[in-house]
Amino acid sequence: MKTWDVIIVGGGLIGSSIAYHLKQKDEGLQILLLDVDLSGKYSSSELNAGGIRKEWWREVNIELAKATLEFMEASPDQFGFRQKGYLWLYDKKGWDFYRSYRLLFKKEGIHAEELTPKEVQSRFPFIDRLDGIAGGTFSPKDGLFNPNLLKQFFRDGAKTKGVETLDGAYVTAVEKKGGAITVTYRDLKQVNGSLKDEDVFGALTQKAGGDFFHKNLSCKILVNASGAWAASLSKCYGHLVPTQPVRRQVCLFDSRELDLSGEGMIVDTSGVYFHAEGDHILAGYATPEEPPAFNFKYDGESFFEQEIWPRLIHRISKAEALKHIGGWAGLYEVTPDRSGIMGRVDKDSPIYEAHSFTGRGAMQSYGVGLAMSELIIYGEYRSIDATPLHPDRFRKGTKLLYEGFHI
């Protein structure tokens, strides 16, 4: 059985970025990138809203996002990067909290224009209902991008340099023995001769039945980049991480009167976020009471009418004339402090983790891949110090302060 230098479990933006950066640094590495479904039908990389910003409360998160944004800034058309800014509206509590972080933003070189409620309305006339707005910030360097284009760039770049991929592989066991790791997986393709959506869905929701062929792979280093399924994989090698899959729903709708084509991402005081999406408008909202589950069901027009529409009408009078078109549901992988998990599991362990970025992995993906590749190859972070996101921080009681910027 061939022994790979590195096996990366999870072929989304994070896993693909790690593979890309490893090969950029060492073309001789034998790397396998595997996933239960490389097309990413249920992947958070494909189902997110596509925003990118540098505003965060925690320094490490700023650095990871900044690296990703600056990378795309050099070739915006290649990634569908529209640098139209982020408008963030705050209530009184949020505004006071934001203002307490001015020094951090200045230190990190983040330019965010501070706006009074009247200035918000003057700059963005469609926001004509100012109730509850204490202030706003507009960061012109931020914007929107196409996560699929960025993922494909990483994956194509990795494959060009020799990274191999394995589709339809659902890992069920990990065994460390001597200097090698044995990875056992279900081959979801071998039974039917092709990858069936019902088999993928069954595996991802952990309700897979039937007979699947089990196969083994061998590697020296294993990277867990399996997103919302990271906790399930980590149990296979005896490492428990407090991350849970939580459904997030996104709506698409039309408006006869509201044209947002010239705007970037807008985040309201209510928590609803929205932006133009082609000829439509996209909006999402994280319902606070949403229970953890591998739930991909989109609640349809009822979700739009109960959660999205009332919040938009409260802020924008033209939002009274909206027509729901459709939408989708995807998963956030949520940690207690709302920051990602990345690093070596233990000091001498051959297993690394890079997951649970709480729905923001897309906007941090380049930075994560760069930092992880350095840690794996050099044994230390060089470009970005991601030590605060160490996988063991929760067990050791050193978790970060809560990351409030998690939209």
Side-chain angles (χ1 to χ4, degrees):
M1 181 168 57
K2 177 180 179 178
T3 298
W4 302 87
D5 291 317
V6 183
I7 289 180
I8 301 170
V9 181
L13 265 163
I14 297 296
S16 297
S17 177
I18 294 170
Y20 168 82
H21 280 94
L22 283 172
K23 275 294 191 178
Q24 291 292 109
K25 289 180 170 51
D26 187 347
E27 286 196 38
L29 287 174
Q30 298 294 306
I31 301 173
L32 178 66
L33 180 67
L34 68 83
D35 201 297
V36 67
D37 177 21
L38 284 170
S39 73
K41 180 176 181 180
Y42 300 102
S43 168
S44 300
S45 298
E46 302 293 334
L47 299 173
N48 72 84
I52 183 165
R53 53 178 166 74
K54 290 186 285 188
E55 291 79 14
W56 301 72
W57 301 138
R58 308 298 157 230
E59 201 166 330
V60 62
N61 289 328
I62 292 173
E63 292 297 326
L64 293 171
K66 185 192 295 185
T68 308
L69 191 151
E70 290 174 355
F71 170 72
M72 290 196 295
E73 205 172 28
S75 303
D77 293 343
Q78 188 167 10
F79 309 111
F81 181 35
R82 295 160 281 160
Q83 205 164 27
K84 296 183 178 181
Y86 249 73
L87 173 65
W88 210 294
L89 304 178
Y90 297 92
D91 59 16
K92 179 63 168 63
K93 181 179 178 181
W95 186 238
D96 290 343
F97 196 71
Y98 158 76
R99 288 160 66 90
S100 72
Y101 275 79
R102 281 169 161 168
L103 289 179
L104 174 62
F105 287 177
K106 183 177 181 180
K107 174 188 172 186
E108 291 290 335
I110 296 173
H111 174 57
E113 302 173 34
E114 296 183 6
L115 305 174
T116 66
K118 286 188 176 180
E119 287 172 334
V120 168
Q121 186 174 21
S122 176
R123 290 274 295 273
F124 306 91
F126 57 90
I127 299 176
D128 56 353
R129 294 174 174 172
L130 306 178
D131 184 44
I133 299 177
T137 59
F138 180 70
S139 42
K141 292 288 187 179
D142 299 338
L144 306 163
F145 73 105
N146 185 323
N148 182 58
L149 291 179
L150 182 59
K151 182 188 75 173
Q152 208 57 49
F153 172 87
F154 291 143
R155 193 178 291 175
D156 290 346
K159 290 172 73 173
T160 298
K161 289 185 177 289
V163 170
E164 295 189 43
T165 58
L166 178 60
D167 199 11
Y170 181 75
V171 175
T172 57
V174 175
E175 182 182 4
K176 294 178 287 182
K177 184 176 288 187
I181 302 170
T182 299
V183 177
T184 303
Y185 68 96
R186 283 177 174 172
D187 187 343
L188 302 185
K189 280 187 172 182
Q190 194 159 341
V191 172
N192 298 306
S194 61
L195 198 58
K196 302 293 185 183
D197 183 63
E198 58 266 28
D199 293 335
V200 171
F201 186 79
L204 293 179
T205 56
Q206 301 185 340
K207 298 176 182 177
D211 295 325
F212 292 99
F213 289 87
H214 284 77
K215 297 180 178 180
N216 292 329
L217 298 166
S218 178
C219 63
K220 299 173 185 175
I221 291 174
L222 179 69
V223 180
N224 180 353
S226 55
W229 298 271
S232 302
L233 178 58
S234 71
K235 289 179 184 177
C236 293
Y237 48 84
H239 185 239
L240 302 181
V241 292
T243 180
Q244 297 178 311
V246 179
R247 178 180 64 161
R248 292 291 182 258
Q249 299 185 68
V250 174
C251 300
L252 281 177
F253 50 90
D254 277 338
S255 172
R256 293 191 299 269
E257 301 179 16
L258 185 59
D259 180 10
L260 299 179
S261 58
E263 313 299 337
M265 177 74 83
I266 301 169
V267 185
D268 184 44
T269 58
S270 65
V272 68
Y273 56 90
F274 54 100
H275 64 76
E277 183 73 5
D279 295 330
H280 311 302
I281 299 174
L282 176 153
Y285 177 71
T287 50
E289 67 277 7
E290 184 73 33
F294 292 102
N295 184 0
F296 292 94
K297 180 179 179 293
Y298 174 54
D299 290 336
E301 195 161 2
S302 63
F303 176 77
F304 174 71
E305 292 180 350
Q306 294 170 21
E307 305 292 356
I308 302 295
W309 204 351
R311 290 175 170 85
L312 291 178
I313 291 174
H314 179 74
R315 185 64 61 218
I316 302 169
S317 60
K318 289 182 178 180
E320 293 178 359
L322 302 180
K323 180 182 179 182
H324 176 260
I325 296 174
W328 62 86
L331 298 178
Y332 278 19
E333 58 273 26
V334 178
T335 63
D337 59 15
R338 298 303 190 271
S339 286
I341 292 174
M342 58 183 289
R344 201 170 189 170
V345 170
D346 293 306
K347 183 180 179 181
D348 300 315
S349 175
I351 299 177
Y352 296 76
E353 296 188 335
H355 56 75
S356 302
F357 293 94
T358 317
R360 303 154 317 191
M363 70 174 78
Q364 293 186 318
S365 56
Y366 181 89
V368 171
L370 173 63
M372 286 297 297
S373 68
E374 293 175 344
L375 183 63
I376 292 169
I377 292 176
Y378 308 129
E380 63 180 3
Y381 294 118
R382 294 186 176 180
S383 302
I384 302 169
D385 183 8
T387 304
L389 302 181
H390 191 278
D392 226 15
R393 70 182 185 271
F394 301 102
R395 183 179 66 82
K396 293 181 177 179
T398 56
K399 69 180 183 179
L400 291 172
L401 294 175
Y402 188 89
E403 176 59 78
F405 269 130
H406 58 277
I407 293 175

